[in-house]
Structures are given as C-alpha cells and as structure tokens.
Amino acid sequence: AQSVTQPDIHITVSEGASLELRCNYSYGATPYLFWYVQSPGQGLQLLLKYFSGDTLVQGIKGFEAEFKRSQSSFNLRKPSVHWSDAAEYFCAVGESGNLIFGKGTKLSVKP
Amino acid sequence: DGGITQSPKYLFRKEGQNVTLSCEQNLNHDAMYWYRQDPGQGLRLIYYSQIVNDFQKGDIAEGYSVSREKKESFPLTVTSAQKNPTAFYLCASSMDRYEQYFGPGTRLTVT
C-alpha cells in the first residue's frame, strides 16, 4: 500500500520568508499527487495537483510544488509567506481511486 | 454557487445514541467520500461511493453506516457501536476519482 510522509509536524516561519513543506510518498508508478490546505475548523482546499508532465506545478495563493521521482518527493514551496498562510497543510497521493493523506504540517507565521 | 454543504457544523450527542451527519453537493459529481479527522492523524477514509445506490468501506468503517439514494446526498450515520465517535468529520466529492473537493466539516462531540 502507498504511504505519505510529512516529516515536519509544525513549522514556524517569519512573514515574508520563504517556505518549503516536505512530502515523501511510496509508490511504484507515477503517482497522482496533491497538496491541500486547511484553516482551523474548516474543510480542505485544493492548492495544486500533479498528474503528469511538467514536474513543477503552480497552484493557487502563490504556491508551487515540484515532483522529484528520484527522491519520491513532492515538496510545497512559496517564495514569501503571508500571515494568512498560517494553516495546516496536507499532502496526498492517489491510490486505487482514493486519496491517501499525510498527517499534515502545521504552519505558524511570525510577524 | 456550486459546492458541498455539511450540517450541522457542531453536533452533540449522548453516548449510546446514533447520529446522522448530512452531506449535500450540487457539483454534479459522481463520487462522494466521508473522512474522519483526529488531531495529528491526518484524514482517514470511512466510506466512499462512486455511484448512486453503491458504496464501499474505507479504512475505518466499523461503527459507521451510509446510504446513497441520490447523487447529491451521502449521509453518514455514526452508530452506538463506534467506540470513539468524537471527531471532526469531512465529506468530499469528486468527478475524476482523485481531485476531491471538501465540505466545511461537522464536529461531533459524544459525551
């Protein structure tokens, strides 16, 4: 079975600093990969997705992610973090028609 | 506006009572899903349905039941057999099996 690992449970960055959230997956073939964001007490919002093609994908809110097959990674990046980016971020991989989610990384933003 | 609605946002029940959580979507999506979210656990799949009148168990279906009588609706019943029902419940829908869109969630507290 596939698995998704988000190594960082909690990350704190300063407003305006760059951000990288890590995601590693285990899967033999080219996976379907997703990043979602969740504000406290809310549902999940899709930030971006990778199915095939260009390994650098752009998403909403200025986020991007890069698929690296050799490292089995799909890390999420943002060049300059805003206070409103404080939330929990989930990486997910598609398997057999369903999504397998990582346990999430909580992002705090310092003023 | 198209979207997914879940009601109520907060739900309180006494132990031993069954409770039904509502999920409605007007996105014309074929597939619908129910997830349970606990702190630090990510999302775990309870049930999913790819088509009306058909549904499958997910990873943690014990103590839960669902129905899919209409394309737009996928209610989840938390039965008294569920040993630890207090959690945040998320409903999602998708057209293409992987790209899922989420509702705002229902927080269930059982005492």
Side-chain angles (χ1 to χ4, degrees):
Chain A
Q2 294 191 59
S3 65
V4 179
T5 302
Q6 294 181 245
D8 304 305
I9 296 173
H10 190 186
I11 284 182
T12 300
V13 301
S14 297
E15 191 167 15
S18 63
L19 170 70
E20 182 169 28
L21 301 182
R22 297 182 291 164
C23 173
N24 294 97
Y25 64 89
S26 65
Y27 188 59
T30 300
Y32 297 117
L33 295 162
F34 303 82
W35 274 101
Y36 285 86
V37 61
Q38 184 182 34
S39 298
Q42 302 297 317
L44 275 68
Q45 181 182 21
L46 180 65
L47 281 176
L48 46 78
K49 61 189 177 188
Y50 173 77
F51 286 176
S52 64
D54 192 344
T55 57
L56 184 64
V57 293
Q58 302 297 320
I60 62 171
K61 305 187 180 193
F63 286 92
E64 66 178 27
E66 185 171 14
F67 169 59
K68 292 186 177 180
R69 183 189 303 277
S70 62
Q71 298 177 19
S72 296
S73 69
F74 188 57
N75 294 349
L76 182 71
R77 301 194 295 245
K78 187 170 186 178
S80 177
V81 169
H82 188 262
W83 64 266
S84 60
D85 293 324
E88 191 155 20
Y89 293 79
F90 293 92
C91 181
V93 60
E95 178 192 47
S96 304
N98 294 320
L99 290 180
I100 309 298
F101 285 86
K103 294 190 176 182
T105 297
K106 183 177 180 181
L107 173 65
S108 298
V109 180
K110 290 190 300 186
Chain B
D1 280 340
I4 302 173
T5 57
Q6 292 186 244
S7 60
K9 189 165 181 64
Y10 300 95
L11 193 51
F12 298 89
R13 281 294 183 270
K14 295 291 188 184
E15 196 173 318
Q17 294 178 337
N18 291 355
V19 59
T20 297
L21 282 60
S22 168
C23 178
E24 304 276 335
Q25 56 101 358
N26 60 4
L27 299 168
N28 199 32
H29 286 170
D30 290 318
M32 297 186 75
Y33 308 80
W34 273 106
Y35 293 90
R36 172 183 171 134
Q37 185 177 25
D38 297 283
Q41 295 296 314
L43 277 71
R44 293 181 289 170
L45 183 64
I46 305 172
Y47 268 98
Y48 63 100
S49 168
Q50 302 285 2
I51 197 169
V52 174
N53 293 321
D54 188 41
F55 48 83
Q56 287 77 40
K57 294 181 179 180
D59 300 319
I60 56 165
E62 185 176 348
Y64 299 98
S65 66
V66 293
S67 63
R68 186 87 187 275
E69 296 177 1
K70 299 186 299 182
K71 187 175 185 177
E72 303 79 22
S73 178
F74 191 41
L76 173 74
T77 297
V78 184
T79 75
S80 57
Q82 168 49 234
K83 291 183 172 54
N84 186 18
T86 294
F88 190 53
Y89 291 88
L90 287 159
C91 178
S93 69
S94 72
M95 180 58 78
D96 67 356
R97 300 180 77 201
Y98 289 122
E99 188 169 334
Q100 296 182 16
Y101 293 87
F102 285 80
T106 292
R107 185 166 299 281
L108 173 64
T109 302
V110 177
T111 58

